[in-house]
Amino acid sequence: MRYAIIADIHGNLEAFQTVLADIKTQNVQQVACLGDVVGYNANPKECLDIVRAMNIPVVKGNHDEYCSSEDHLEGFNPHAAEAVIWTRNQLTTEDRQWLRDLKYSRMVGNFTIVHSTLDAPERWGYVFDKLAAAASFPYQNTQLCFFGHTHVPVAFMRDTTVRGGTYSKFKMDPARKYFVNVGAVGQPRDNNPKSGYVVYDTDAGTVELRRLDYDIATTQAKIRAAGLPERLAERLEFGR
Ligand code: ZN
C-alpha cells in the first residue's frame, strides 16, 4: 500500500494542485492530511473544499483551530492575526464547524498522524530538535508517526537514543520508531521554496520526501490582491 502524506496546505491552491497532480503519478491508494488546510495564503475555501471532497483522514492544525473559532488572537504575531481574521471571513459556518470537529491525532492504517506533538497536541509545540522529539516518542504507539507544523521536513528515530536529520528517502529499520515531519505543501520554511509532501510505501518500508516547483508568482499575486500581508507573499519565494 502506498500513502501520500500532506501537511500545511495553508490555502495555497497552486501548490496544492501541483502536489495532487504529482500524487496521481505515484500509484498512491490513500492520502492523509496533517492539518493547517487554511491560514496565510489566499485560497483557504478552495483548498478546504478539495480536502473535504477527497474524504480523507485529516487532523486539526493550529490555524484550523484559530480560523474556526471566534477567540481573540492575543499573543499572535500581527501578520498571522491579520491572516486568521481574513481567513475566518472566507469560510462558511459549516466549513468552520467541520474544522472544529477535527481530532488532534488519529491512526491511519498502521501509523499515526498529528499536527504538532503527541505528548500535548492541543498545545501546538514545535518539534525542531531531538529533545522535543524525545518528549513525543513515549506517546507514540505505532512504529511510525507523521507530523507537520514546523514546515521543515526532518525525520527523528528512536532506538536506545533519539537522533534526527534531514532526509530525501529512507528505509525503516523494524527495530526503531520514527517521527517524521513531511514538510509543507503551502509554505515551506527550510530555505527551499519547493512544495513538499511524503510518499510512504508500507511494503517497501520506505518514506520518500517529494519536492515540487509550483506557480509561486500566481500565489503571490493572489495574496497581494487579497490585501494580505506582503511578508506572506515574499516568504514563499525564499521558502522561509
Ligand atoms: Zn502550518
Side-chain angles (χ1 to χ4, degrees):
M1 177 104 170
R2 282 167 68 82
Y3 292 92
I5 319 295
I6 58 177
D8 295 285
I9 299 163
H10 281 300
N12 185 335
L13 185 61
E14 291 68 36
F16 190 23
Q17 287 172 333
T18 300
V19 163
L20 291 175
D22 192 68
I23 288 172
K24 285 213 173 76
T25 72
Q26 293 298 307
N27 192 26
V28 159
Q29 286 88 46
Q30 168 84 63
V31 181
C33 175
L34 312 186
D36 276 2
V37 177
V38 302
Y40 293 130
N41 300 304
N43 289 122
K45 172 68 177 162
E46 292 78 1
C47 291
L48 185 58
D49 284 348
I50 294 171
V51 167
R52 292 185 59 179
M54 287 169 77
N55 202 18
I56 56 174
V58 185
V59 287
K60 189 187 288 185
N62 52 320
H63 285 261
D64 303 324
E65 185 162 284
Y66 310 144
C67 295
S68 63
S69 86
E70 308 288 344
D71 294 350
H72 280 287
L73 302 164
E74 283 157 49
F76 261 63
N77 114 16
H79 290 158
E82 203 178 325
V84 167
I85 291 162
W86 184 88
T87 300
R88 283 178 181 173
N89 291 326
Q90 310 302 310
L91 303 176
T92 66
T93 307
E94 206 252 330
D95 289 332
R96 290 160 69 162
Q97 187 61 50
W98 189 88
L99 289 171
R100 267 198 294 278
D101 288 343
L102 293 173
K103 295 186 172 68
Y104 289 111
S105 70
R106 55 185 287 184
M107 292 269 300
V108 181
N110 64 350
F111 61 92
T112 310
I113 58 174
V114 69
H115 186 68
S116 57
T117 72
L118 287 173
D119 46 320
E122 74 292 347
R123 287 168 60 185
W124 311 120
Y126 290 89
V127 180
F128 279 114
D129 57 29
K130 58 186 183 180
L131 258 162
S136 224
F137 272 120
Y139 298 88
Q140 185 174 323
N141 300 317
T142 52
Q143 190 199 1
L144 175 61
C145 176
F146 293 107
F147 73 104
H149 195 38
T150 63
H151 303 199
V152 176
V154 60
F156 296 95
M157 60 181 165
R158 187 181 80 172
D159 41 37
T160 53
T161 58
V162 174
R163 280 169 291 158
T166 55
Y167 67 98
S168 51
K169 183 174 185 177
F170 65 89
K171 188 171 165 60
M172 293 196 297
D173 176 339
R176 292 177 175 148
K177 272 189 175 177
Y178 294 85
F179 191 51
V180 180
N181 189 296
V182 303
V185 171
Q187 194 195 74
R189 294 182 194 159
D190 60 338
N191 300 311
N192 175 354
K194 292 178 193 237
S195 182
Y197 80 100
V198 150
V199 174
Y200 166 45
D201 187 315
T202 58
D203 296 329
T206 53
V207 172
E208 179 186 1
L209 178 66
R210 296 186 61 78
R211 298 302 291 265
L212 304 162
D213 287 310
Y214 71 96
D215 184 359
I216 292 176
T218 295
T219 308
Q220 290 176 315
K222 288 179 175 180
I223 291 167
R224 290 172 178 136
L228 286 161
E230 170 61 22
R231 155 103 180 105
L232 295 177
E234 232 168 52
R235 66 188 304 173
L236 294 176
E237 70 191 80
F238 302 106
R240 63 178 188 234

